Amino acid sequence: MKILLLRVLVPVLLLFAWAQCANVQSPTGGPKDKRPPKLVSSIPKANATNFKGTTILLTFDEAVKLNSPREEIIISPSPGKDVDFVVKGNRVFITPKIPLKDSTTYSFLFREGIQDITENNPPVNLRLSFSTGPYTDSLLLAGEVHDVLLGTPKEKM
């Protein structure tokens, strides 16, 4: 009887002890990523002249993703609605279907159209200007936008 009891009781006790020794849970993942992606290089470079390419290439220091690029990325003057935005790891390719106009300065304002893949941090105040002609236009506008009803300054305008 004792042997039978030991044969049944010992495996049950071992199973119970084994089941209680570890708790399954997700890893914590470390500290939150608060650093936005940084632009490492671009083709064309900022304020470049005589750009004859068909694709704009941005390279960042970390993997990025696109966030509603047709709404968030402002291109001036507009090359039209038919622009391809493709991301591959830490590189973003922007290809307008209509060729860029000759002797024109283009300005890109990225707002929150590009974000890192971990915490959705957008690059801060990312802009790119270049010209397809021999010089870049140097027009600069500055000011504040205020909410008319509240009388308060608007952010990110």
Side-chain angles (χ1 to χ4, degrees), residues 111-124:
R111 300 189 310 170
E112 295 190 11
I114 298 173
Q115 301 174 339
D116 68 13
I117 61 170
T118 55
E119 295 291 336
N120 304 328
N121 298 318
V124 178

Side-chain angles (χ1 to χ4, degrees), residues 87-146:
V87 66
K88 291 183 180 177
N90 67 333
R91 301 184 315 171
V92 176
F93 300 85
I94 303 170
T95 308
K97 294 296 183 182
I98 299 172
L100 299 175
K101 295 177 185 173
D102 189 36
S103 296
T104 303
T105 298
Y106 285 89
S107 180
F108 290 69
L109 176 59
F110 293 95
R111 300 189 310 170
E112 295 190 11
I114 298 173
Q115 301 174 339
D116 68 13
I117 61 170
T118 55
E119 295 291 336
N120 304 328
N121 298 318
V124 178
N125 203 22
L126 179 61
R127 300 167 187 261
L128 175 67
S129 294
F130 62 88
S131 177
T132 56
Y135 63 91
T136 57
D137 293 338
S138 60
L139 176 65
L140 175 66
L141 297 175
E144 290 184 355
V145 177
H146 288 264

Side-chain angles (χ1 to χ4, degrees), residues 29-49:
K32 185 175 180 177
D33 176 19
K34 295 180 181 177
R35 192 182 64 79
K38 180 180 177 188
L39 183 65
V40 175
S41 67
S42 67
I43 298 174
K45 293 184 180 193
N47 299 318
T49 56

Side-chain angles (χ1 to χ4, degrees), residues 10-70:
V10 169
V12 169
L13 287 174
L14 286 175
L15 183 62
F16 181 73
W18 177 76
Q20 295 299 319
C21 69
N23 293 328
V24 178
Q25 56 181 310
S26 300
T28 60
K32 185 175 180 177
D33 176 19
K34 295 180 181 177
R35 192 182 64 79
K38 180 180 177 188
L39 183 65
V40 175
S41 67
S42 67
I43 298 174
K45 293 184 180 193
N47 299 318
T49 56
N50 297 313
F51 178 68
K52 302 300 180 201
T54 57
T55 298
I56 291 87
L57 170 62
L58 307 171
T59 304
F60 293 89
D61 65 344
E62 64 179 297
V64 294
K65 66 179 183 177
L66 295 171
N67 174 42
S68 304
R70 284 178 174 51

